[in-house]
Amino acid sequence: MSAPLASALQARLAVDIGGTFTDLAIERGTGEATQRWTAKVLTTPQAPELGVLEGVRVVLGRAGLKPADVALVIHGTTLATNAIIERKGARTALLTTDGFRDVLALGNESRYDQYDLNIDLPQPLVPRRWRVTVPERLDNEGHVLRPLDEESVRRQLAFLREEGIESLAIGFLHSFVNPAHEKRAAAIVRQIWPDLPVSLSSEVSPEMREWERFSTTVANAYVQPRMASYLHRLEDGLREAGLACPLFLMLSGGGLTTLETAARFPIRLVESGPAGGAIFAAHVARQKGWAKVLSFDMGGTTAKVCLVDDFAPQAARTFEVARVGRFKKGSGLPLRIPVIEMVEIGAGGGSIAHLDSMGRIQVGPESAGADPGPACYGRGGTLPAVTDANLLLGRYEPDLFAGGALKLHPGAAKDAMAAAVGERLDLSPEMAALGVVEMVDENMANAARVHAIESGKGYEGRSIIAFGGGGPVHGYRVAEKIGVTRLLVPSGAGVGSAIGFLRAPVAYEVVKSLYQRFATFDLEAVNALLAGMSAEASEVVAHGSFGAPSAEHRLAFMRYVGQGHEIAVTLPARELTAADVAAIRAAYDAEYTRFYDRPVPGSDVEILSFAVTVATVVEEVDPIAPVADAPAPQRIRTQAVRDTATGGVADWAVYDRDAMPAGSRVAGPCIVAEAETSTLVGPGWSCRMDGLGYLELTRESAR
């Protein structure tokens, strides 16, 4: 943890709930004296806090620590995302301006597939019956054109109460400029229906563009009751277990925040688990001094890839959830929140293999999850998953999976693979498993290619940092497919996202819209807005920083007048002067030229919104010094493994990662085994242990 949230003798605990496993990491000490213990337990989907509490018991036992020794708990979860995808949120209503009832259904009228006459569009989280309107109207500058009809608000609330509504989103036209009508409507709600959770668009997403603003606010309202209830149950459970320390939540944008803020704005948690993985990869890249890497995080349910340049993950201000079209941008529900930009696909250890209508092997996005899990778990699952395929290829030792905590059943995996894939294609279960693994590897490689292309970047000179339970298993083959010749598996890779939580700063971002043109720039209004945003972000961070130093970062999102998309330009983190205005305009022209090779002379520039981020200062990391070569360790056994590239079976040496000294090197094909995962070193690759205890794989020959 960068900020001094705990003394060197106190422990920091991180918990990441995934679709299959709940990962935990606990650290004590600082710098080279840091001690770390990890654990992996099955997620308990019906009551996720039970899995967390069981994992806490396990990891504290391994560390020999008492609950009172823990000074801080940091938590990330995909529960908010899953609630939206599975449509298991609260019965939510939208109260909006007369005439704008159907904004959620109309969207921006774009089509993610122009030539599909039967296109499926994402259905709004709120059905039309529960999208109700009231007379009120503000103009684009926030002036009242029509006062709020308060009696109409009361009538609509009476209707919604009869409908059994559990959560309410309020989104009025132009409320991002003037929130007075939204706040008055919320006050009426609290007077006559105090128990109803309320989300205001002027607080959740105070930016222009009604569809994105309303969609984000509705999504926040949709998940708020479930998330708030879960977070408070978790807090109570931790306290009953003796952990009376503060509980912080990982945000989608890569920072930490308090439980109170997370319960109020749970939509900012949608990608909190994957964000921890990207932070973990960025920290490792800084330790290695690698400026260009690809973060590859493969867990039990999904795989996530993220580009990390200059030791920072790519960031974005928009995110889509519950896409109807796989890999198709524009086919999901838009969320206007700060996020770490990544591609996430249904390709994890629990992803189910099946044949499509044309008899082709497909993998995911459906997952067997933790209950019942893949067939080989022996928990009642009958459908083959990626874990079953890896087991049939000889990549896992049945008695040592997950550190021996979960015994695998090869017979069940073989039967499931034969029934669902092999018999229908006239293939043996083992060859069917080869097809499944090759397909999932290709899916992940394709996602990485698309992500790089959409970002205007490539993989030349880039390395992969692989983690998660499946990342080290599939990493070398994905690297081969995208042309990367160096791959790193850090220590603690099996619980990488949880470790990433311990590296994240306490941070909060505030985004607000204020339309400006440089020709008529209102310096006083902009400075007043930025000062208010800075105070708001600083107040949130102060609740969790415990006096740690913080830094502020400001952005303006601007475009040439008449264009449809904005470019972010950095602003000085202080009061702006007239001289700054000209410098900011010049910076925009330079940034636009970087993207599009030339500016647009003679065109004015407009600013649509501003962002202010306050974050605790991240400690500097000294790159690791090289270590001398050391003798290779003794193999602990051999395993018959089927190579997915050639289909051939050969004996692969197996080494114990804990027995590999710094500087030692082993040649592929081999497996480096540890408790939470296994690193596969393919033919033509070699693996060396560096001074940090990280496995660095290098491809020495193509095949």
Side-chain angles (χ1 to χ4, degrees):
M1 187 71 200
S2 59
L5 300 180
S7 73
L9 297 178
Q10 292 178 304
R12 289 99 54 204
L13 172 65
V15 183
D16 175 30
I17 296 181
T20 304
F21 288 100
T22 294
D23 299 339
L24 300 97
I26 190 166
E27 287 186 347
R28 184 171 63 175
T30 58
E32 295 182 359
T34 299
Q35 296 175 287
R36 181 196 299 151
W37 301 267
T38 61
K40 233 180 190 354
V41 298
L42 286 171
T43 295
T44 50
Q46 300 306 315
E49 69 275 9
L50 298 181
V52 173
L53 296 174
E54 170 63 15
V56 169
R57 184 190 65 79
V58 171
V59 77
L60 286 177
R62 291 180 181 177
L65 298 174
K66 301 184 297 295
D69 295 328
V70 179
L72 175 70
V73 177
I74 304 170
H75 179 35
T77 176
T78 58
L79 292 178
T81 312
N82 295 342
I84 296 174
I85 293 173
E86 299 170 5
R87 300 293 172 126
K88 293 182 179 178
R91 291 164 65 92
T92 304
L94 170 66
L95 183 68
T96 190
T97 307
D98 263 353
F100 290 84
R101 180 182 190 182
D102 294 315
V103 166
L104 291 179
L106 294 172
N108 58 10
E109 298 188 346
S110 65
R111 296 167 60 88
Y112 61 88
D113 189 336
Q114 296 291 332
Y115 304 103
D116 185 352
L117 298 180
N118 300 309
I119 191 171
D120 288 325
L121 297 173
Q123 292 300 310
L125 295 173
V126 178
R128 194 171 194 271
R129 179 178 177 82
W130 296 341
R131 302 197 297 263
V132 297
T133 65
V134 294
E136 71 85 34
R137 192 63 177 264
L138 305 174
D139 68 11
N140 65 313
E141 295 181 347
H143 302 131
V144 177
L145 299 178
R146 186 177 187 180
L148 175 67
D149 187 333
E150 297 186 4
E151 187 57 36
S152 180
V153 174
R154 294 185 176 90
R155 287 195 302 271
Q156 296 291 21
L157 288 175
F159 165 73
L160 296 177
R161 188 190 287 268
E162 293 176 357
E163 293 288 303
I165 292 302
E166 299 169 337
S167 188
L168 177 66
I170 300 178
F172 291 151
L173 194 67
H174 298 137
S175 62
F176 61 88
V177 181
N178 180 0
H181 283 182
E182 284 192 358
K183 290 185 175 181
R184 178 54 191 154
I188 295 172
V189 174
R190 295 184 181 107
Q191 284 175 355
I192 64 179
W193 198 349
D195 296 332
L196 182 68
V198 179
S199 296
L200 304 183
S201 76
S202 54
E203 296 177 346
V204 176
S205 181
E207 296 184 74
M208 63 178 62
R209 296 189 173 100
E210 275 66 42
W211 179 41
E212 290 87 346
R213 178 160 56 93
F214 290 1
S215 177
T216 306
T217 308
V218 163
N220 191 78
Y222 188 73
V223 301
Q224 188 177 29
R226 177 178 179 179
M227 287 299 299
S229 173
Y230 160 70
L231 291 174
H232 290 301
R233 291 199 314 271
L234 176 61
E235 182 183 38
D236 292 342
L238 291 172
R239 291 188 183 282
E240 290 175 6
L243 285 85
C245 57
L247 172 62
F248 287 87
L249 277 298
M250 186 77 189
L251 295 170
S252 307
L256 303 177
T257 194
T258 60
L259 182 143
E260 292 74 19
T261 302
R264 187 181 177 196
F265 302 118
I267 199 61
R268 290 201 175 194
L269 306 179
V270 290
E271 286 292 278
S272 61
I279 294 294
F280 175 62
H283 176 78
V284 171
R286 187 179 294 274
Q287 288 179 305
K288 297 291 291 185
W290 295 354
K292 295 172 61 178
V293 304
L294 174 73
S295 169
F296 172 46
D297 176 8
M298 183 180 178
T301 304
T302 59
K304 287 78 66 175
V305 294
C306 174
L307 294 170
V308 179
D309 291 312
D310 298 323
F311 317 118
Q314 286 192 165
R317 300 168 57 240
T318 58
F319 175 72
E320 285 184 19
V321 67
R323 283 183 173 177
V324 176
R326 196 177 184 191
F327 299 129
K328 293 185 178 180
K329 189 174 182 179
S331 67
L333 299 173
L335 302 179
R336 196 85 169 171
I337 56 172
V339 294
I340 288 178
E341 189 170 22
M342 64 184 73
V343 172
E344 183 172 1
I345 64 171
S351 296
I352 296 172
H354 60 280
L355 300 183
D356 64 13
S357 58
M358 299 179 65
R360 299 173 301 184
I361 295 176
Q362 300 293 326
V363 181
E366 297 82 8
S367 174
D371 187 14
C376 61
Y377 281 11
R379 297 165 59 89
T382 59
L383 299 176
V386 173
T387 299
D388 296 302
N390 279 321
L391 179 61
L392 293 176
L393 294 178
R395 295 174 158 200
Y396 294 145
E397 172 56 46
D399 295 327
L400 300 177
F401 186 76
L406 182 62
K407 178 178 173 62
L408 300 184
H409 302 270
K414 189 172 185 177
D415 291 343
M417 189 65 68
V421 181
E423 292 175 357
R424 296 176 60 187
L425 295 179
D426 196 23
L427 295 174
S428 68
E430 292 76 15
M431 290 305 294
L434 185 150
V436 168
V437 169
E438 187 67 0
M439 180 58 69
V440 78
D441 287 347
E442 182 57 37
N443 286 345
M444 293 185 291
N446 189 51
R449 295 185 195 103
V450 171
H451 185 44
I453 291 170
E454 290 181 344
S455 303
K457 299 177 180 178
Y459 287 108
E460 184 178 355
R462 198 174 290 272
S463 303
I464 292 178
I465 296 176
F467 53 98
V473 178
H474 294 259
Y476 88 87
R477 186 63 177 139
V478 172
E480 288 180 348
K481 288 176 176 290
I482 64 176
V484 170
T485 59
R486 185 170 63 179
L487 180 142
L488 189 80
V489 179
S491 56
V495 294
S497 290
I499 296 173
F501 297 167
L502 299 172
R503 307 287 176 261
V506 179
Y508 197 72
E509 179 180 273
V510 177
V511 181
K512 292 190 176 181
S513 290
L514 177 64
Y515 184 81
Q516 293 286 301
R517 288 194 182 189
F518 279 96
T520 56
F521 197 86
D522 188 338
L523 194 59
E524 183 178 349
V526 171
N527 277 326
L529 177 75
L530 291 172
M533 295 167 66
S534 175
E536 181 180 343
S538 297
E539 182 181 4
V540 173
V541 171
H543 288 303
S545 64
F546 297 98
S550 62
E552 185 174 319
H553 183 63
R554 297 181 176 183
L555 293 173
F557 299 93
M558 54 187 76
R559 65 191 184 188
Y560 288 116
V561 173
Q563 291 186 331
H565 299 280
E566 303 89 58
I567 292 176
V569 174
T570 301
L571 304 180
R574 54 170 171 75
E575 185 171 287
L576 300 178
T577 66
D580 291 323
V581 177
I584 295 167
R585 167 62 202 257
Y588 172 78
D589 287 335
E591 189 69 2
Y592 188 90
T593 301
R594 187 176 72 84
F595 274 96
Y596 303 109
D597 292 333
R598 58 180 293 275
V600 181
S603 178
D604 197 8
V605 173
E606 56 189 3
I607 302 176
L608 274 67
S609 55
F610 297 85
V612 173
T613 302
V614 175
T616 51
V617 178
V618 177
E619 292 177 348
E620 292 295 324
V621 176
D622 294 327
I624 184 65
V627 294
D629 291 338
Q634 293 293 318
R635 68 181 65 182
I636 56 176
R637 65 178 185 276
T638 60
Q639 281 179 211
V641 179
R642 188 178 298 272
D643 183 8
T644 56
T646 66
V649 178
D651 287 335
W652 288 29
V654 180
Y655 300 95
D656 181 359
R657 179 167 184 164
D658 292 338
M660 286 186 66
S664 63
R665 183 186 299 273
V666 294
C670 66
I671 298 174
V672 181
E674 57 185 298
E676 274 100 17
T677 187
S678 294
T679 299
L680 267 63
V681 184
W685 291 75
S686 67
C687 173
R688 186 177 189 270
M689 178 73 77
D690 73 5
L692 288 167
Y694 298 168
L695 299 176
E696 186 173 334
L697 280 65
T698 305
R699 191 180 186 191
E700 299 181 345
S701 64
R703 55 174 178 152

